[in-house]
Amino acid sequence: MVGSAESKCRLDHGKSRRAQRRVLPAEFAPQNPTSNTLTAVNSLDPNEKSGPAGFGTENYLRDTRSFPYSIHFENMDTASAPAHTVTVSDQLDLAKFDLATFSFGNVFIGDSVLYVEPGLREFVLDKKLNALGVTARVHGKLNLQTGLLTWTFRSLDAVTLEEIEDPDLGFLPPNVNTPEGQGAVSFFVKLKNTPLNNQQVKNSASIVFDANPAIVTNEHLVTFDLVAPQSAILPIDPVQGTAQVELNWSGTDVGSGMQGYNIYYILNGTDTVLWLGGTTETTAIFTGEGGNQYEFYSIAVDNVGNVEAAPGHPDAVTTIMTGADEQFASNADLLLYPNPASDQLTIINRSNDDGCLTLVQTDGRIVAKLRLQGNGQQQVSVANVPQGLLQWRWSPGCEGTMQTGRV
């Protein structure tokens, strides 16, 4: 919807201008008759309320209390007369906004900028528009008791500063050559309190051209998303007989939605490595090296930048058994990893029967004798064992055929 001065009352069109100087209200006394002119940086749709920009239709934002707003208006190019008086109003919610933080922003008329001193709650500025033969006077005021915010634009005689009664003269002509018929006002305010998750802040404005009905702008909406997403890598087999491991993960976010995942792994309990950064995929093939242990976890990021905290424990852990032990790892009842081991050696009995395991150094010294339960595992400290190979001897049922190998 656009505003227009097209239905401007023209009853006094033939009357002569009053000879006697009109007494203006005190609040319209000129304070800045020499405002500078700048080319407008950009233009937005007419009669629009704009504010903090977020994500999606709900305009999701992270934790912020600062709200810069702008209100744009236009005298449409089909209007038969310029706008003589324009009033812009905005009712601030006293329960949400802290008026002590309020400040007017700059005012825009066509390609001119009227600079407003920061921190003011009321101002009056004049801008002489030579091409139109008028002076635009702008009065901005915030009512601290009600929260009502108003800007009033009036067209004055450029010489006498009397209010113009001729309907063919006005500060905002039809917008035939953009941006001559466009204007905007702006302000800044903060929220009273720290926002809550999923809290919404709504605000709209009203624009009146001369005697025309009020134009209500769009309702600007902000929705706060303050909660980080959650994600996890799905469980995998603790021992892999191949260097390639399929990883799958998923995540949820109540709010702005999932933007992507960062997938990490920890090598042999020490080095943390970012494997996939900012991926939107939920499955991938990881290629590791035989004899190494890999711990995996994911960290999700949502569309407003909330980042999931790193988990206290990895989501999935596996050891890759390949190379010389590949056949053993896929067929035998017994699995030993990591290989090589520098601190703890984990032994897994994959059979349903109990069995006995002996670890022996190459000089014949016994490092450990263990009895393993079926489908169970134990850990043995090898931190103090001299570097080199260990021979293992595994006897299912402690009496069956012995299997041997090295680690």
Side-chain angles (χ1 to χ4, degrees):
M1 190 185 334
V2 293
S4 171
E6 192 166 354
S7 59
K8 180 190 292 286
C9 178
R10 307 174 71 89
L11 296 178
D12 295 331
H13 181 62
K15 293 184 180 180
S16 61
R17 188 174 297 161
R18 297 181 183 178
Q20 185 177 0
R21 182 180 176 86
R22 186 173 181 178
V23 178
L24 299 177
E27 67 268 23
F28 284 104
Q31 295 181 6
N32 187 4
T34 59
S35 299
N36 295 327
T37 300
L38 292 179
T39 301
V41 176
N42 54 22
S43 61
L44 296 175
D45 291 337
N47 309 315
E48 179 186 12
K49 179 67 180 288
S50 61
F55 179 84
T57 57
E58 299 297 309
N59 202 34
Y60 283 103
L61 286 175
R62 292 178 63 188
D63 188 4
T64 179
R65 293 175 62 179
S66 300
F67 277 69
Y69 282 118
S70 295
I71 304 165
H72 307 264
F73 55 91
E74 175 189 6
N75 189 16
M76 60 189 297
D77 59 1
T78 57
S80 61
H84 180 275
T85 302
V86 173
T87 301
V88 180
S89 59
D90 192 319
Q91 179 63 59
L92 299 181
D93 188 342
L94 296 178
K96 291 184 178 179
F97 292 109
D98 181 6
L99 299 190
T101 66
F102 176 88
S103 178
F104 278 103
N106 295 329
V107 176
F108 304 84
I109 302 174
D111 60 359
S112 299
V113 181
L114 284 70
Y115 295 97
V116 181
E117 181 181 344
L120 295 180
R121 313 295 167 75
E122 185 173 6
F123 71 90
V124 176
L125 291 176
D126 284 356
K127 175 59 186 174
K128 190 173 183 179
L129 304 172
N130 293 321
L132 301 176
V134 301
T135 292
R137 177 161 290 175
V138 187
H139 177 209
K141 182 178 181 179
L142 170 65
N143 188 317
L144 293 172
Q145 281 69 47
T146 65
L148 180 62
L149 181 58
T150 57
W151 295 261
T152 303
F153 293 76
R154 296 189 180 183
S155 302
L156 307 181
D157 184 278
V159 177
T160 65
L161 295 182
E162 290 183 349
E163 200 159 3
I164 296 174
E165 297 181 357
D166 187 344
D168 290 325
L169 295 177
F171 79 97
L172 198 68
N175 194 33
V176 176
N177 299 309
T178 302
E180 64 180 356
Q182 295 179 349
V185 296
S186 59
F187 66 96
F188 171 88
V189 69
K190 289 185 177 182
L191 295 180
K192 255 184 180 178
N193 303 306
T194 301
L196 303 175
N197 185 56
N198 210 38
Q199 177 183 340
Q200 293 187 326
V201 177
K202 302 177 181 180
N203 185 265
S204 61
S206 173
I207 305 166
V208 177
F209 285 79
D210 297 307
N212 291 301
I215 300 169
V216 179
T217 68
N218 59 292
E219 184 177 64
H220 184 272
L221 169 68
V222 164
T223 307
F224 287 99
D225 181 356
L226 310 180
V227 177
Q230 300 293 317
S231 68
I233 296 178
L234 302 183
I236 56 178
D237 291 336
V239 177
Q240 304 288 330
T242 175
Q244 293 188 322
V245 182
E246 180 179 346
L247 296 178
N248 296 279
W249 56 89
S250 63
T252 58
D253 182 75
V254 180
S256 60
M258 199 73 67
Q259 182 187 87
Y261 304 86
N262 297 316
I263 308 300
Y264 294 83
Y265 70 85
I266 303 173
L267 177 62
N268 295 325
T270 55
D271 299 326
T272 300
V273 180
L274 174 61
W275 177 49
L276 297 176
T279 181
T280 58
E281 302 294 330
T282 56
T283 183
I285 300 297
F286 174 83
T287 301
E289 295 182 357
N292 290 320
Q293 183 188 67
Y294 296 92
E295 302 171 76
F296 299 95
Y297 66 92
S298 63
I299 292 181
V301 181
D302 68 16
N303 283 303
V304 296
N306 291 313
V307 180
E308 179 184 14
H313 303 281
D315 299 326
V317 181
T318 193
T319 296
I320 294 177
M321 301 286 289
T322 59
D325 296 317
E326 185 170 356
Q327 182 178 359
F328 164 75
S330 58
N331 297 322
D333 294 332
L334 192 69
L335 296 176
L336 294 87
Y337 68 90
N339 188 4
S342 60
D343 185 17
Q344 296 284 334
L345 181 65
T346 300
I347 302 104
I348 298 179
N349 179 8
R350 301 199 300 181
S351 71
N352 294 322
D353 300 323
D354 295 350
C356 293
L357 173 71
T358 302
L359 295 176
V360 184
Q361 294 179 207
T362 54
D363 61 2
R365 295 181 184 180
I366 296 176
V367 174
K369 284 187 175 182
L370 305 173
R371 183 179 180 88
L372 301 179
Q373 294 181 340
N375 292 313
Q377 71 177 42
Q378 289 191 33
Q379 285 188 322
V380 176
S381 175
V382 292
N384 298 321
V385 176
Q387 293 185 1
L389 293 174
L390 290 178
Q391 185 183 46
W392 54 263
R393 300 168 185 168
W394 167 244
S395 178
C398 296
E399 296 180 355
T401 303
M402 182 177 292
Q403 300 172 2
T404 61
R406 295 181 300 177
V407 63

